[in-house]
Amino acid sequence: MIVIAPHSDLELKLINAQKKIIRQIFDNNNQEIPYSAMPLWIQTNFESVQQAKQKIADITILAPEYDVQKGCLVCPVEIKTYDGIVNSSLDFIHLRRHCEERSDVAIHIADTTFPLPVKIFRLGECTSSKPGVFELSNTKWVKLT
């Protein structure tokens, strides 16, 4: 799978937004146990790093929203290519409930970080040698203008 790994400056902004939102969740709803999703990589459907490098024209990370299927907050990602727009997502914050099963989650996020343009990033092939261990290979740095 080909992934987009944001530059460390952008990753720091995302981590700070995670901390701020986790604090909000703790303050507003002590039934949820939030924790940061790592690594902060955007999954794509490109077949190779070279194809992704040639096709990506612009990337924007949008404000987090709750994904019922994943049970976590995800940031929708708009990847503009020279052929159109590809939608993806960035797993952002995982949520666990204390004791009972979650039926409805109401989390209101107040953060001015988003939308966040991604101008410098690494493209790479994500491999997993063990569960929970991810590695990037065949990486290429990209700077969009």
Side-chain angles (χ1 to χ4, degrees):
M1 155 182 38
I2 306 301
V3 297
I4 298 167
H7 185 271
S8 56
D9 292 343
L10 182 65
E11 191 174 34
L12 184 59
K13 287 181 183 180
L14 289 168
I15 290 168
N16 287 335
Q18 280 178 325
K19 289 178 184 178
K20 184 177 177 183
I21 293 168
I22 286 172
R23 217 174 298 121
Q24 287 178 23
I25 294 169
F26 270 128
D27 290 347
N28 297 331
N29 182 356
N30 36 353
Q31 292 298 314
E32 300 294 336
I33 302 170
Y35 59 96
S36 302
M38 288 291 178
L40 292 172
W41 294 345
I42 303 164
Q43 297 180 13
T44 68
N45 292 328
F46 295 108
E47 294 178 17
S48 69
V49 170
Q50 191 60 33
Q51 179 195 30
K53 186 176 179 180
Q54 291 172 352
K55 288 194 172 197
I56 294 175
D58 191 48
I59 302 172
T60 304
I61 300 174
L62 304 173
E65 53 191 43
Y66 184 70
D67 184 325
V68 178
Q69 292 177 334
K70 290 184 175 183
C72 69
L73 291 174
V74 298
C75 294
V77 178
E78 262 187 12
I79 303 171
K80 292 181 183 170
T81 66
Y82 296 107
D83 301 332
I85 294 178
V86 177
N87 292 314
S88 187
S89 65
L90 166 72
D91 286 356
F92 199 58
I93 296 174
H94 295 284
L95 299 168
R96 295 277 186 244
R97 199 152 203 20
H98 273 295
C99 298
E100 66 235 29
E101 198 61 33
R102 173 186 10 257
S103 60
D104 187 29
V105 175
I107 297 172
H108 303 286
I109 300 158
D111 191 15
T112 57
T113 305
F114 303 96
L116 192 58
V118 180
K119 297 295 182 189
I120 302 172
F121 55 92
R122 271 186 309 159
L123 288 167
E125 294 177 24
C126 178
T127 57
S128 179
S129 55
K130 301 177 196 172
V133 176
F134 302 99
E135 299 172 353
L136 280 183
S137 61
N138 192 20
T139 61
K140 300 234 186 277
W141 280 99
V142 178
K143 182 177 181 180
L144 301 175
T145 55

